[in-house]
Amino acid sequence: MSDTVPPATNGRTPWQIPMEPASPSAALSFPSAQATSFPRKIWRLLVGIKDGLALLFLLLFFVILFAALGARPNAASGSTDGALVLKLNGIITEQLSEPDPVASLSGGSVTREFLVRDIIHGLRQAADSANVKAVVLDLDGFSGGGQASLAAIGEALDVVRAKKPVLAYATAYDSNAYQLAAHASEIWTDPNGGVLTVGPGGSRLYYKGLLDRLGITANIYRVGTFKSAVEPFLRSDQSPEAKEADLAYAQALWTEWKADVSRARPKAQVEDYTQNLGAAVLAAKGDVAEAALAASMVDKLGGRLAFGQRLAKLSGAGQSKRPGDFQAIAFADWVAAHPPSNSGGTIAVIPVVGQIVDGTSSPGSAGGATISKYILDAVADKNVKALVLRVDSPGGSVLASEDIRLALLTAKEKKLPIIVSMANLAASGGYWISTPADWIVADPATITGSIGVFGILPSFEKSLAKIGLHADGITTTPLSGQPDLLAGVSPEFSALMQANVEQIYGRFTGLVAASRHQPIEKIQSIAEGRVWAGSTAKTLGLVDELGGLDLAMAIAARKAGLTDYHARYFEKKPSTFSLLLASLTQESDDQADQLRFDIFGLAGRDQAMLTRRVMADVAMLTRTPSVQSLCLECRNHQIMRAPPSSGVNNLFQTWATLMR
């Protein structure tokens, strides 16, 4: 073929010559290029958008697939020899929460979470395994956990330590991290770090002055001299009664912490170090790490390189042969390779974790409808021989708490033994749902009690008056238009609400008295919203026995006549989709190693927790939908998860549900 251009005709190439229509009808059948150019461009644009979206979703599919394959624990790797590394870059919890998809996609903070039961099971398996040469506690990125949960993990570490080395490392230790580290046979810290154990206590915000400035009236209906949950909206300081109660249980928790640490590490000068840390640091010329070493709070001062070299002597050098590299077994791989046994009879374990809320809920909070469903599912399962309610909640909605209690009564009708196992928190509504139990087991460091109720409704009549707005209208009854958030709540409505709260409180104390087989007068004397540590609650008769989940399981098995048994958890788990999104944005372990906290870093990290508590206070003022049995003071001892990013989160949660 020739490559020459065809000859021009009238100065035009053939493909530029306009075609003449053969007839007028043909001209009408084919619109001109000018007439079709705009629709054709729109069509091409839509096709381009469609193709782009198809490519985008295809790319997203492969990214998620790659993340799924990379995030899944490798059971084969969990069967190799080496040091078992428990790298706690996050928080310890009784139930994994649903990661916030909005935060994941926007690059926001997504906190890692580690299940208490997985840690305990993995450690127990490691104690008797010849593959595990040592256990490593990497606590540099540890953000905390409840004191009762940490004590249970400490007991598992003691079992391991009796058979093989357990080494702990952190640049600096706070109280939570040190409670775990105390159970190690060797505690290492960075020469620029140390141990900062401050004990429970501290300040909280009181909003009365701010509300007065803004003209917001907090209409509070409560019962209980010690029900300090609503004090921040009524006062500018803490009442003497609230201080008395808070100090009593804080001292009990601190006494239990020191006892746990001292039992695990007798040589540590715990009392002197915690009470006279300033003097100890001055004696060490300002060197906190040296002060910790002198008080036998730690065994070695050294960086990660020296720590790795020590481990290489115990477990062998790593494949890279780099100094400080050692043979390591990832904890997630280890747990995947050693699943729990399913032999024997089935005991249903139903976690109630987080605030008790109305309706359904995602993992990490306790929806009344959600928890009730799982209780009824367990009752309907013929293989279930007993039921253990694992409570780690500060309480919440009275309506939701009652839904859960009624579901438990259904289990009682079926003659299923019901044992309540209290974890870190089982207060207010958390105690309400415990009343049907045949036996209540609490940890000495459990925060429980807080038997009281309240309701809160803000009104804005003074706020409107400040800007010249006033509300007025007509009424046909004393309760017309109530609660009137614009003109103010009427005395008749306030009297009605207070009477209702008092009636619910009377019912609460009556339930406790009946379930504990105590005179109502005695329960009223220890109720009134007062919070107790588990050890004190045992003395008062609010719990039957001190211990952890293992003891509760053993009691349930005994009551059910089981000699061999296993736990089956009835709970809502985070969706695969949300976990994958979180895995795409979470920092890797190598990145976490570079973000270490010294003494100042530990102090600054607590500010984020304070911010979350303030946000929770504001949410309670503006979004409390019903009468609450909630222990707000418990938040000072609670690991507060980051709240959802926005309302858009609901869309992602729906999608996540469909992707299960």
Side-chain angles (χ1 to χ4, degrees), residues 347-350 352 375 386-393 404-405 408 412 417-423 425-427 429-443 446 448 515-516 542-553 555-556 559:
I347 297 178
V349 180
I350 300 173
V352 182
I375 293 172
L387 190 152
V388 173
L389 197 72
R390 179 65 169 172
V391 182
D392 192 18
S393 171
I404 296 171
R405 189 187 74 88
L408 288 172
K412 288 185 79 73
I418 300 174
I419 310 300
V420 164
S421 173
M422 294 181 170
L425 301 172
Y431 197 89
W432 184 299
I433 65 176
S434 302
T435 54
D438 300 314
W439 205 253
I440 297 178
V441 180
D443 189 271
T446 298
T448 188
S515 66
R516 304 310 302 165
L542 291 176
V543 303
D544 296 295
E545 203 160 346
L546 296 179
L549 181 59
D550 286 345
L551 177 59
M553 291 286 292
I555 295 172
K559 289 182 177 291

Side-chain angles (χ1 to χ4, degrees), residues 355-484:
Q355 188 167 331
I356 299 173
V357 297
D358 295 312
T360 59
S361 63
S362 297
S365 65
T370 300
I371 302 300
S372 298
K373 173 187 177 299
Y374 286 120
I375 293 172
L376 297 178
D377 287 346
V379 171
D381 191 328
K382 295 181 179 180
N383 295 320
V384 171
K385 305 304 180 185
L387 190 152
V388 173
L389 197 72
R390 179 65 169 172
V391 182
D392 192 18
S393 171
S397 164
V398 168
L399 293 175
S401 299
E402 179 64 2
D403 287 343
I404 296 171
R405 189 187 74 88
L406 292 176
L408 288 172
L409 291 181
T410 303
K412 288 185 79 73
E413 293 173 359
K414 297 291 185 179
K415 307 300 181 183
L416 278 178
I418 300 174
I419 310 300
V420 164
S421 173
M422 294 181 170
N424 306 291
L425 301 172
S428 294
Y431 197 89
W432 184 299
I433 65 176
S434 302
T435 54
D438 300 314
W439 205 253
I440 297 178
V441 180
D443 189 271
T446 298
I447 299 174
T448 188
S450 190
I451 301 169
V453 294
F454 69 89
I456 180 169
L457 285 170
S459 59
F460 306 95
E461 65 276 12
K462 296 178 183 178
S463 301
L464 297 177
K466 286 178 178 286
I467 57 175
L469 288 176
H470 300 276
D472 199 3
I474 57 94
T475 62
T476 55
T477 73
L479 297 179
S480 291
Q482 294 296 320
D484 194 333

Side-chain angles (χ1 to χ4, degrees), residues 203-422:
S203 301
R204 59 180 297 183
L205 286 178
Y206 285 77
Y207 306 101
K208 181 65 166 61
L210 175 63
L211 294 178
D212 288 345
R213 281 178 175 268
L214 297 176
I216 299 174
T217 302
N219 301 283
I220 306 292
Y221 312 99
R222 64 169 178 165
V223 183
T225 304
F226 297 94
K227 196 62 186 175
S228 57
V230 291
E231 276 196 358
F233 307 111
L234 292 174
R235 301 173 57 97
S236 298
D237 60 354
Q238 191 174 27
S239 68
E241 295 82 5
K243 282 189 175 182
E244 175 190 344
D246 286 2
L247 182 60
Y249 78 78
Q251 286 178 332
L253 295 180
W254 183 234
T255 298
E256 186 58 35
W257 184 92
K258 291 187 292 184
D260 183 16
V261 169
S262 296
R263 284 192 301 268
R265 191 174 176 84
K267 65 180 179 180
Q269 301 169 23
V270 177
E271 183 68 31
D272 185 59
Y273 186 82
T274 55
Q275 296 299 323
N276 303 292
L277 179 56
V281 172
L282 288 176
K285 300 180 180 180
D287 193 323
V288 181
E290 284 289 349
L293 183 64
S296 297
M297 298 292 284
V298 300
D299 299 296
K300 301 285 185 180
L301 304 184
R304 282 196 169 273
L305 177 59
F307 184 66
Q309 290 171 335
R310 167 67 175 136
L311 287 170
K313 294 179 181 178
L314 296 173
S315 65
Q319 295 180 353
S320 70
K321 305 301 180 183
R322 292 194 306 267
D325 193 13
F326 59 93
Q327 289 285 352
I329 306 171
F331 200 84
D333 295 343
W334 174 259
V335 173
H338 300 82
S341 170
N342 289 324
S343 65
T346 301
I347 297 178
V349 180
I350 300 173
V352 182
V353 179
Q355 188 167 331
I356 299 173
V357 297
D358 295 312
T360 59
S361 63
S362 297
S365 65
T370 300
I371 302 300
S372 298
K373 173 187 177 299
Y374 286 120
I375 293 172
L376 297 178
D377 287 346
V379 171
D381 191 328
K382 295 181 179 180
N383 295 320
V384 171
K385 305 304 180 185
L387 190 152
V388 173
L389 197 72
R390 179 65 169 172
V391 182
D392 192 18
S393 171
S397 164
V398 168
L399 293 175
S401 299
E402 179 64 2
D403 287 343
I404 296 171
R405 189 187 74 88
L406 292 176
L408 288 172
L409 291 181
T410 303
K412 288 185 79 73
E413 293 173 359
K414 297 291 185 179
K415 307 300 181 183
L416 278 178
I418 300 174
I419 310 300
V420 164
S421 173
M422 294 181 170

